[in-house]
Amino acid sequence: MNQDQGGPDSSFEDRLKAARSKQGLDAQPKRPSDDRGGLNGSAMGIGLRVGLELVSALVVAVAIGYGLDRIFHTTPILTVVFVPLGGAAGVANLWRILAPKKSD
Amino acid sequence: MAAEGSSSIDALAQFQLHTTLGPLGASVNFTQANLMMVVASLGVLALLYIGMKPRAMVPGRLQAAAEMGYEFVLSMCTEQIGPEGRRYFPLVFTIFFFILFGNLLGVFPYFFTFTSHIMVTLALSVFVFVLVTIVALKEHGLHFFSYFLPEGIPTILAPLMVAIEIISYFSRIISLSVRLFANMMAGHVMLEVFGAFIIMLGGLGLLGFIPAALSLGVNTLLIGFELLVATLQAYVFAVLTCIYLHDAVHLH
């Protein structure tokens, strides 16, 4: 929740918050702190995000592999090496998004 | 624009750039995308300047919009980054409102959505990426590179994991830029396609009248949807910037 970070006038902030919530001016505390800012919204949102993360890691890996191949004249080898790495990086991205949050 | 008189739908023609402001603009290649960027920046400045001018205790509508935008971005920074987030507030605020205005202005007729070009979003995300890396290097020095080596990794797997983590780190550029670009472009292509349907089906006479009216209804819904997507994507871009800054400040 949006606790103020120990400012000198925290009592005023508290009273203001209490007054605002009594008047119904503040939106009710709706932000669950476990999801990262509503990014994990709808199922379709998750689906699009998953696909994008997988593909973008692969694109980067292919770009790196192809570029290194061009530099070192080893044409297919480094691309072949980097494509599985890219797939793995995509899965790592997904794990970072979808993993159960640690309590830190 | 497209599809008039012809039977094909050229939904991508709307994204073509052409120079504006007459010969002066043509000489420096000042396109309508650049013009819209200037308009968006001026719009943000105008919202803040005109909105905050009354400095009223009970804000009017414009002042309320400016204040809510400020508080919204500030709480986003402090929630995602932590108490240090206030330092990065100006950056996140600028990025959020620039993209938000760019997206929203694109919904108006005759306006151009500069965020529907991959080059623009790619430039934005490369900027964020480089800046986040610089922040991380400044905060942690060379210790930053331990970010690429998750703790508790067996030594045999370390080279593999470092390569994977580096690729994953670089993939942020792609995912950040493609998300914004694809959402904005897809929305405008849909609008164009259904707009062309209205004209083409309307030309069929009585038979085409009902589908044409349906397409008009769909377009009306799409405009509303486009407003949602415009706001949401600006928010997502800003939140992801915050999350990356969080990773840079805290490492893991």
Side-chain angles (χ1 to χ4, degrees):
Chain A
M1 229 76 77
N2 188 15
Q3 286 302 326
D4 44 80
Q5 315 293 337
D9 46 3
S10 66
S11 69
F12 172 73
E13 295 272 312
D14 284 345
R15 280 185 291 147
L16 182 64
K17 190 173 280 181
R20 281 180 70 97
S21 65
K22 200 165 78 180
Q23 296 290 331
L25 285 173
D26 272 340
Q28 287 309 302
K30 58 183 177 348
R31 290 185 276 268
S33 51
D34 58 339
D35 78 341
R36 290 191 134 186
L39 279 182
N40 310 341
S42 58
M44 194 174 136
I46 295 175
L48 287 176
R49 195 145 184 239
V50 163
L52 185 58
E53 296 286 350
L54 279 173
V55 171
S56 61
L58 204 56
V59 167
V60 168
V62 169
I64 292 175
Y66 187 73
L68 289 180
D69 268 341
R70 287 282 293 266
I71 293 171
F72 297 123
H73 302 288
T74 51
T75 283
I77 298 166
L78 287 174
T79 313
V80 170
V81 169
F82 268 91
V83 163
L85 285 179
V91 176
N93 279 348
L94 289 194
W95 178 249
R96 212 159 286 140
I97 299 167
L98 299 174
K101 293 284 175 289
K102 282 176 281 185
S103 58
D104 55 355
Chain B
M1 277 177 274
E4 279 146 328
S6 72
S7 59
S8 69
I9 304 174
D10 188 7
L12 294 177
Q14 58 173 325
F15 299 116
Q16 257 165 19
L17 291 174
H18 47 80
T19 56
T20 46
L21 301 183
L24 184 69
S27 63
V28 291
N29 227 349
F30 191 81
T31 62
Q32 81 269 43
N34 301 117
L35 184 65
M36 288 313 296
M37 287 178 207
V38 174
V39 170
S41 316
L42 291 180
V44 179
L45 290 178
L47 171 72
L48 293 177
Y49 183 72
I50 301 173
M52 292 315 288
K53 213 168 185 187
R55 297 183 194 284
M57 203 60 183
V58 179
R61 265 175 289 186
L62 215 53
Q63 190 183 346
E67 284 181 1
M68 278 165 72
Y70 180 93
E71 282 176 12
F72 176 70
V73 177
L74 186 64
S75 74
M76 178 159 64
C77 282
T78 49
E79 269 170 38
Q80 300 290 342
I81 308 178
E84 309 94 328
R86 283 172 183 271
R87 268 192 293 162
Y88 307 106
F89 167 74
L91 170 80
V92 179
F93 187 86
T94 311
I95 288 178
F96 176 70
F97 271 90
F98 184 61
I99 295 175
L100 180 68
F101 269 63
N103 290 351
L104 285 180
L105 285 174
V107 181
F108 289 97
Y110 296 106
F111 280 42
F112 183 79
T113 328
F114 60 81
T115 43
S116 66
H117 274 193
I118 184 80
M119 272 305 140
V120 176
T121 59
L122 197 62
L124 280 169
S125 67
V126 165
F127 165 69
V128 167
F129 177 83
V130 170
L131 189 117
V132 163
T133 310
I134 289 173
V135 165
L137 280 173
K138 216 176 133 215
E139 292 276 323
H140 301 281
L142 291 179
H143 187 64
F144 158 67
F145 291 103
S146 74
Y147 182 78
F148 297 118
L149 190 67
E151 62 257 49
I153 290 286
T155 336
I156 311 167
L157 282 180
L160 202 62
M161 282 309 292
V162 168
I164 288 175
E165 289 289 328
I166 289 175
I167 292 171
S168 162
Y169 191 69
F170 275 94
S171 75
R172 287 173 174 184
I173 304 176
I174 307 285
S175 70
L176 197 59
S177 60
V178 168
R179 185 177 297 118
L180 177 60
F181 146 76
N183 273 288
M184 296 320 294
M185 199 195 74
H188 285 266
V189 166
M190 292 273 280
L191 282 176
E192 174 92 31
V193 166
F194 279 97
F197 278 176
I198 300 172
I199 298 169
M200 290 160 76
L201 290 166
L204 284 181
L206 205 56
L207 192 66
F209 179 74
I210 292 171
L214 266 174
S215 309
L216 182 62
V218 170
N219 239 356
T220 314
L221 289 178
L222 277 180
I223 287 280
F225 189 66
E226 193 68 6
L227 288 173
L228 172 76
V229 168
T231 319
L232 197 66
Q233 288 309 316
Y235 172 68
V236 166
F237 200 100
V239 162
L240 283 173
T241 306
C242 284
I243 290 174
Y244 295 158
L245 279 170
H246 169 93
D247 287 353
V249 174
H250 296 289
L251 286 191
H252 306 295

